[in-house]
């Protein structure tokens, strides 16, 4: 895995997928120091998650920790990420979700720290796969306040900005959650550039409806972005 670029099949195993996602987050500069965390649901009430205090580029499969939906360690020799509550919030509310990624990508975090609105439906790929990206109010990391801050959005969103903190994305696989993080960062970068040029110009409601109607062609699903912004 160190010497060969990953292929799609490598993401089939949750533990391997988590490690690959960690490497990708580090390579893209979406995390610094020991920032970020990645998890995968491996049973109805079991979650495998990255350990606390380990740079994502150094995470290995044997470091991963298995917890239940209360955060109790079931298996593993290390401590789970202090942000496990953020992940469990998604898993408790959404049985359809199998993975969660939390990171601090620079453009998305800049938007989350300066009030730039990413609920505007401006890019087709965002409407198709992510929808609106709301911003949850600031909450102290590692506390119960953090999952509470995203609670109003979890049922209808798979990508959320965390005010003055970063972003969190979820999906049916680790790869999906990771790609959504990349999409959010790409959108945020464009939004910041557009802001300097006069602001994002939203797609028309008819165009958004047409894009949503095409989701089935791409095996995508999710709420209508204009109805859940």
């Amino acid at each position: 895995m160190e010497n060969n670029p990953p292929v799609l099949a490598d993401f089939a195993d949750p533990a391997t997928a988590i490690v690959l996602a960690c490497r990708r987050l580090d390579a893209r500069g979406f995390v610094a120091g020991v920032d970020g965390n990645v998890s995968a649901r491996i049973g109805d009430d079991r979650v495998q998650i990255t350990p606390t205090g380990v740079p994502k580029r150094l995470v290995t499969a044997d470091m991963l920790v298995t917890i239940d939906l209360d955060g109790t360690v079931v298996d593993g020799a290390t401590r789970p990420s202090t942000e496990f509550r953020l992940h469990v919030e998604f898993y408790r509310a959404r049985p359809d979700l199998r993975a969660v990624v939390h990171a601090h990508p620079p453009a998305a975090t800049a938007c989350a720290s300066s009030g730039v609105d990413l609920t505007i439906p401006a890019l087709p790929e965002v409407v198709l796969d992510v929808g609106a990206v709301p911003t949850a109010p600031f909450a102290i990391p590692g506390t119960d306040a953090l999952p509470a801050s995203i609670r109003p959005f979890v049922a209808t969103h798979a990508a959320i900005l965390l005010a003055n903190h970063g972003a969190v994305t979820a999906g049916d696989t680790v790869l999906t959650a990771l790609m959504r993080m990349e999409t959010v960062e790409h959108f945020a970068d464009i939004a910041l550039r557009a802001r300097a040029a006069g602001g994002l110009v939203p797609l028309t409601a008819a165009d958004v409806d047409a894009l949503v109607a095409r989701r089935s062609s791409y095996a995508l699903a999710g709420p209508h972005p204009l109805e859940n912004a």
Side-chain angles (χ1 to χ4, degrees):
M1 194 161 59
E2 292 274 353
N3 299 320
N4 299 308
V7 297
L8 196 59
D10 292 332
F11 284 87
D13 172 64
T16 303
I18 289 172
V19 173
L20 288 172
C22 288
R23 303 288 170 81
R24 179 66 173 173
L25 293 174
D26 180 76
R28 289 292 306 271
F30 287 8
V31 291
V34 298
D35 295 348
N37 25 82
V38 182
S39 71
R41 192 199 294 263
I42 57 173
D44 290 342
D45 63 347
R46 294 290 185 270
V47 173
Q48 205 165 39
I49 192 167
T50 48
T52 189
V54 179
K56 299 294 98 62
R57 66 184 178 276
L58 300 180
V59 169
T60 57
D62 62 325
M63 295 179 184
L64 302 181
V65 186
T66 300
I67 60 174
D68 63 19
L69 295 187
D70 292 322
T72 302
V73 174
V74 176
D75 185 43
T78 56
R79 289 189 298 135
S81 167
T82 56
E83 303 284 36
F84 72 86
R85 298 171 186 83
L86 189 66
H87 296 246
V88 167
E89 188 68 30
F90 275 101
Y91 295 130
R92 283 176 172 166
R94 299 275 301 275
D96 59 308
L97 296 177
R98 310 291 299 181
V100 175
V101 172
H102 166 51
H104 303 164
T109 304
C111 289
S113 302
S114 60
V116 175
D117 186 6
L118 294 189
T119 66
I120 298 170
L123 301 181
E125 62 273 17
V126 178
V127 172
L128 280 168
D129 187 40
V130 178
V133 185
T135 301
F138 178 74
I140 300 297
T143 70
D144 289 335
L146 187 57
S149 74
I150 68 168
R151 198 162 293 149
F153 308 107
V154 167
T156 51
H157 295 83
I160 304 169
L161 294 185
L162 308 173
N164 300 87
H165 184 171
V168 60
T169 55
D172 58 348
T173 67
V174 172
L175 183 58
T176 298
L178 175 64
M179 289 191 299
R180 283 177 173 160
M181 183 64 72
E182 293 187 344
T183 296
V184 168
E185 176 67 356
H186 186 62
F187 183 25
D189 183 50
I190 291 171
L192 291 172
R193 294 168 188 251
R195 191 185 199 191
L200 284 170
V201 176
L203 299 169
T204 66
D207 287 335
V208 173
D209 287 341
L211 286 165
V212 170
R214 290 187 60 81
R215 282 177 171 172
S216 60
S217 301
Y218 299 97
L220 299 171
H224 195 296
L226 294 179
E227 297 172 356
N228 295 278

